[in-house]
Amino acid sequence: MALTNPSLPPRQCEAEDCESRVDLLRCPACHVVWYCSREHRISHRDIHKSECDEVKNNREEVAVEKERLRDEQGKDPFGVPDRVFEEHSGHFWTYLGTQPYMKKKYRLIESLLSIQTIDAIQAALDTSMYTVRLDRRDHLVLRSKIPSLMLQLNKDQECYDFVRWWYTCNPDGSYDWHDLSAPFLDTKNADVFEPCDLFINDTLNWAHIAAITLIKVRLLIDLESLQDASPTTPKKALSSVTLRRTDIMNSPDRTARMNDLKTQIRKLYDCVHKANKDFWQTLIDLSNNLLFIPPDRTESRRDKMLVALQRSYPAWEKTPGATDRLSELIISTT
């Protein structure tokens, strides 16, 4: 076999100049950072304190707000309806009384992402998915954050299914967002190699297109490795999808599929480039824009682009060779 399973970076002590991975102790406050000893946790405290306190405080505020909802449910049906979590999960944003809880969840997600350990990313993803299920219309636009989190956790298939559902759930405008019996995020094991045309339309979601493009790039790099590598020198797969496909793994020649992926990547690239000529180049040069803090609400085209890029960049940056493919496309376009 020329490819091995993709794996996440192992947990290790976060103290400076320490890479210990055994007998780790979890930070008792934020729960998403690990240390090899109490001494190293104390030595790292000045660096970690601000982010740690923010996560801890946001978690506590979410818990307090949840108890408030339970205490107030049923007293004002327009504020917090009765059995709010049991019977109204799916359209929380409809009620004014539940919106503060949703906003505190969002702040918790943002604080988790400031830490960027694997545990923090997983916690942010879990919280984001839970929050989206509370509000199917996704007024907090977490659907634009979630794909990159999934890709950072090697959940390529789950990411593809998630994005595909949003693109196909309401083709004729008849989906009833308030009908809690209607299917929701139920796309499973869609064909990641299928044509990309369904994602190309006039209402681009920048973060979604960047995620789909990255998935296709990962697949292409994996197929090229399979085609060229010796079975005695295995390489780690970039996409968790590749190894599941026995037809690909056992194929003697993957040229046709590789050419199809190249065509799809070109289409996705061109679609975004046509809408915004700066998007892909800015993704490559994003180090200059990582400190950009957007306003809560913005109509600026550039601000919206930078928000999407900030959400997409970590998954691209952690994928070896991905930005090189972008650079090749940029050069061929100029």
Side-chain angles (χ1 to χ4, degrees), residues 99-117:
Q99 291 182 16
Y101 175 72
M102 302 287 287
K103 292 176 181 177
K104 289 183 184 299
K105 280 279 191 183
Y106 188 91
R107 284 197 286 272
L108 173 58
I109 294 164
E110 289 287 287
S111 61
L112 285 165
L113 292 179
S114 70
I115 294 179
Q116 278 293 306
T117 63

Side-chain angles (χ1 to χ4, degrees), residues 304-323:
K304 288 180 178 179
M305 179 189 75
L306 287 173
V307 169
L309 287 168
Q310 283 182 322
R311 291 169 177 168
S312 304
Y313 178 77
W316 281 85
E317 189 268 337
K318 294 173 183 177
T319 303
T323 55

Side-chain angles (χ1 to χ4, degrees), residues 103-317:
K103 292 176 181 177
K104 289 183 184 299
K105 280 279 191 183
Y106 188 91
R107 284 197 286 272
L108 173 58
I109 294 164
E110 289 287 287
S111 61
L112 285 165
L113 292 179
S114 70
I115 294 179
Q116 278 293 306
T117 63
I118 291 298
D119 289 270
I121 296 168
Q122 182 65 63
L125 174 60
D126 293 342
T127 306
S128 297
M129 291 297 291
Y130 174 77
T131 307
V132 167
R133 292 187 181 280
L134 288 178
D135 173 34
R136 290 189 172 198
R137 294 300 296 265
D138 187 27
H139 289 81
L140 296 174
V141 202
L142 289 169
R143 64 187 178 276
S144 292
K145 283 183 179 289
I146 287 171
S148 180
L149 302 182
M150 288 179 168
L151 291 177
Q152 290 178 71
L153 295 168
N154 291 342
K155 298 178 182 290
D156 292 35
Q157 182 67 60
E158 293 88 340
C159 177
Y160 190 83
D161 291 341
F162 180 86
V163 174
R164 195 183 196 283
W165 188 89
W166 284 102
Y167 270 81
T168 59
C169 67
N170 195 24
D172 58 1
S174 63
Y175 185 85
D176 186 353
W177 294 97
H178 294 286
D179 179 6
L180 298 184
S181 67
F184 184 67
L185 295 179
D186 61 336
T187 301
K188 304 295 180 187
N189 296 316
D191 182 8
V192 180
F193 288 90
E194 69 183 343
C196 64
D197 300 313
L198 71 92
F199 302 107
I200 298 175
N201 56 43
D202 294 332
T203 55
L204 289 180
N205 180 309
W206 301 108
H208 284 183
I209 290 291
I212 295 298
T213 305
L214 180 55
I215 291 172
K216 303 281 188 180
V217 167
R218 285 179 172 182
L219 291 171
L220 175 59
I221 294 174
D222 279 352
L223 264 60
E224 290 174 343
S225 295
L226 280 169
Q227 194 78 348
D228 300 334
S230 165
T232 60
T233 56
K235 293 180 66 176
K236 187 175 292 184
L238 297 181
S239 174
S240 55
V241 172
T242 309
L243 298 181
R244 301 179 191 175
R245 295 289 297 265
T246 56
D247 58 325
I248 293 171
M249 296 298 297
N250 297 330
S251 174
D253 187 1
R254 305 167 188 88
T255 304
R257 199 178 288 274
M258 288 161 52
N259 288 336
D260 181 58
L261 280 171
K262 290 176 182 178
T263 299
Q264 291 188 45
I265 293 166
R266 177 90 245 182
K267 281 185 178 181
L268 291 164
Y269 174 91
D270 287 345
C271 174
V272 171
H273 185 71
K274 180 180 178 182
N276 190 314
K277 290 180 171 54
D278 297 326
F279 185 88
W280 295 118
Q281 184 63 59
T282 307
L283 178 60
I284 293 175
D285 300 334
L286 198 60
S287 58
N288 295 325
N289 296 297
L290 286 176
L291 298 180
F292 167 75
I293 302 176
D296 290 337
R297 296 286 179 183
T298 178
E299 296 301 321
S300 162
R301 185 182 182 88
R302 177 169 174 78
D303 284 0
K304 288 180 178 179
M305 179 189 75
L306 287 173
V307 169
L309 287 168
Q310 283 182 322
R311 291 169 177 168
S312 304
Y313 178 77
W316 281 85
E317 189 268 337

